[in-house]
C-alpha cells in the first residue's frame, strides 16, 4: 500500500533509511511532531488517502490500553501497581494507559507518573494551567519524539477527571541521555531519549520521592488537588513503560553523551 511518512527535519538518517526500506516515501517538514501531524493532515485533505495521527485517535488509545492488560496478566492475582511511569509527547500513550487502568478497575489504586523533558513540557504546562491546554512557543530538546507543542484534547480531559490521577514531573535532556547510558550498562538494552526520559524518573530518584511523599513543594504544587487517590497507600509494584527507540544506536548514544558530558 502506498504510504507517505511526514517526518521532522531533524529525523536521524538511520530512521529515514528504515522507512525507505519499506518502500514508504518520506517527506520532511518542521521541527516538531505537532508540525508534522498538521502537515500530514493537510496532505490528507488534498489527496485521497487515510490520515493516521501519531497520538490522537481512539484506535491508538485502544492499542496502548492493552499494555495494562498485559501488566495484569503478569502480576499475581489481586496485585495492583501503585504507579505506572511513562513519557508523554502528544498524549496518546497516556490516554491508552488511562483506558487500560479503568478497564482493570485500578483507577482508585494506581497513579500515572508522566515524564517529559524541560524543553518538551506541553503536558506539564497544561497541568500548571489547571487542565487548559497550552501551546509551547518553542521546543528545545533532543528528544524529537516528545517534541509536541500541545497535548491532545483528551489528555487534558483525563487529567481533570483524575481517575486515575496523573502526576507531571520534568527531567533535563542530560538526565534523559544519562538514563539511556545507565540502562545500557545495567540491562544491556539500547533505548532512545524518549525512553530515557521515563527511565530518568528512576535514576534521578523521582519515583522514590513520589512514593515516600518526600518531594519538595515546587515538585508537587501543581498536582491536582481534592482527590484522595493522590495520597492512596497502595504498596503495589512500580511499572515503568520502557518504550524502546528505533532511532538509537551506539554511535548516536555516544554523540549524545559527548554533547551533554554524561
Amino acid at each position: 500500500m502506498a504510504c507517505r511518512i511526514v517526518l521532522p527535519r531533524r529525523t536521524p538518517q538511520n530512521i529515514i533509511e528504515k522507512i525507505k526500506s519499506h518502500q514508504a516515501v518520506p517527506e520532511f517538514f518542521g521541527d516538531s511532531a505537532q508540525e508534522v501531524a498538521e502537515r500530514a493532515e493537510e496532505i490528507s485533505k488534498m489527496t485521497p488517502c487515510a490520515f493516521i495521527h501519531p497520538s490522537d485517535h481512539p484506535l491508538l488509545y485502544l492499542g496502548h490500553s492493552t499494555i495494562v492488560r498485559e501488566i495484569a496478566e503478569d502480576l499475581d492475582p489481586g496485585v495492583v501497581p501503585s504507579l505506572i511511569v511513562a513519557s508523554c509527547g502528544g498524549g496518546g500513550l497516556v490516554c491508552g494507559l488511562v483506558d487500560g487502568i479503568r478497564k482493570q478497575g485500578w483507577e482508585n489504586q494506581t497513579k500515572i507518573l508522566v515524564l517529559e523533558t524541560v524543553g518538551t513540557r506541553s503536558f506539564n504546562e497544561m497541568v500548571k494551567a489547571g487542565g487548559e491546554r497550552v501551546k509551547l512557543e518553542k521546543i528545545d530538546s533532543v528528544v524529537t519524539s516528545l517534541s509536541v507543542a500541545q497535548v491532545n484534547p483528551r489528555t487534558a480531559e483525563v487529567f481533570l477527571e483524575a481517575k486515575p490521577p496523573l502526576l507531571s514531573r520534568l527531567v533535563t535532556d542530560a538526565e534523559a541521555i544519562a538514563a539511556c547510558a545507565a540502562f545500557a550498562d545495567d540491562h544491556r538494552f539500547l533505548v532512545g531519549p524518549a525512553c530515557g526520559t521515563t527511565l530518568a524518573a528512576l535514576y534521578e530518584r523521582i519515583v522514590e520521592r513520589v512514593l515516600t511523599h518526600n518531594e519538595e513543594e515546587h515538585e508537587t504544587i501543581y498536582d491536582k488537588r481534592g482527590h484522595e487517590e493522590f495520597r492512596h497507600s497502595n504498596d503495589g509494584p512500580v511499572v515503568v513503560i520502557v518504550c524502546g527507540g528505533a532511532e538509537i544506536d551506539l554511535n548516536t548514544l555516544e554523540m549524545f553523551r559527548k554533547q551533554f558530558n554524561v
Side-chain angles (χ1 to χ4, degrees):
M1 181 178 293
C3 183
R4 183 188 299 189
I5 311 290
V6 187
L7 303 160
R9 284 189 286 257
R10 294 183 296 165
T11 301
Q13 188 61 36
N14 63 330
I15 293 296
I16 297 170
E17 295 305 320
K18 288 179 182 179
I19 287 171
K20 289 180 177 179
S21 73
H22 291 283
Q23 287 74 53
V25 179
E27 176 180 323
F28 305 98
F29 185 87
D31 296 314
S32 71
Q34 182 82 18
E35 293 173 300
V36 164
E38 290 171 357
R39 170 59 179 163
E41 186 171 19
E42 179 186 343
I43 293 171
S44 73
K45 293 176 180 177
M46 297 186 296
T47 57
C49 63
F51 167 54
I52 302 175
H53 195 284
S55 61
D56 188 12
H57 194 281
L59 283 176
L60 287 172
Y61 310 151
L62 178 62
H64 290 312
S65 73
T66 62
I67 295 172
V68 183
R69 186 191 67 208
E70 293 170 5
I71 292 169
E73 291 171 353
D74 281 346
L75 294 173
D76 292 333
V79 175
V80 177
S82 60
L83 198 66
I84 296 179
V85 189
S87 60
C88 179
L93 174 59
V94 169
C95 290
L97 292 173
V98 167
D99 287 349
I101 287 170
R102 290 175 178 178
K103 288 176 183 176
Q104 294 297 327
W106 292 348
E107 61 268 26
N108 294 324
Q109 298 172 275
T110 304
K111 294 191 285 283
I112 299 176
L113 178 60
V114 179
L115 271 296
E116 301 167 288
T117 63
V118 174
T120 64
R121 61 187 185 281
S122 55
F123 180 85
N124 186 260
E125 289 296 326
M126 178 272 295
V127 169
K128 289 180 178 179
E132 292 290 330
R133 293 193 303 146
V134 176
K135 190 170 185 178
L136 299 180
E137 293 183 4
K138 179 183 179 182
I139 293 174
D140 183 18
S141 177
V142 299
V143 189
T144 54
S145 58
L146 300 187
S147 297
V148 181
Q150 189 177 46
V151 295
N152 66 47
R154 185 154 189 269
T155 301
E157 293 173 4
V158 297
F159 167 72
L160 289 172
E161 292 163 357
K163 291 190 175 294
L166 308 181
L167 307 180
S168 174
R169 301 293 184 266
L170 301 176
V171 299
T172 65
D173 277 19
E175 289 169 336
I177 298 304
C180 291
F183 192 70
D185 284 342
D186 292 342
H187 296 283
R188 308 299 187 265
F189 275 96
L190 279 179
V191 295
C195 185
T197 301
T198 305
L199 292 170
L202 294 175
Y203 287 107
E204 299 300 322
R205 305 182 76 171
I206 295 171
V207 168
E208 178 184 325
R209 296 198 299 274
V210 168
L211 293 178
T212 59
H213 306 295
N214 192 31
E215 296 181 279
E216 299 291 336
E217 183 180 3
H218 71 87
E219 294 179 278
T220 64
I221 192 170
Y222 295 108
D223 290 349
K224 184 170 170 54
R225 305 297 180 175
H227 291 270
E228 289 299 320
E229 305 96 293
F230 272 99
R231 297 192 66 84
H232 63 62
S233 58
N234 175 23
D235 59 356
V238 173
V239 178
V240 181
I241 306 300
V242 183
C243 58
E247 81 283 10
I248 199 68
D249 55 33
L250 282 173
N251 290 336
T252 304
L253 179 57
E254 186 59 24
M255 178 191 72
F256 282 142
R257 291 186 70 182
K258 290 179 179 177
Q259 179 179 345
F260 293 102
N261 193 29
V262 296

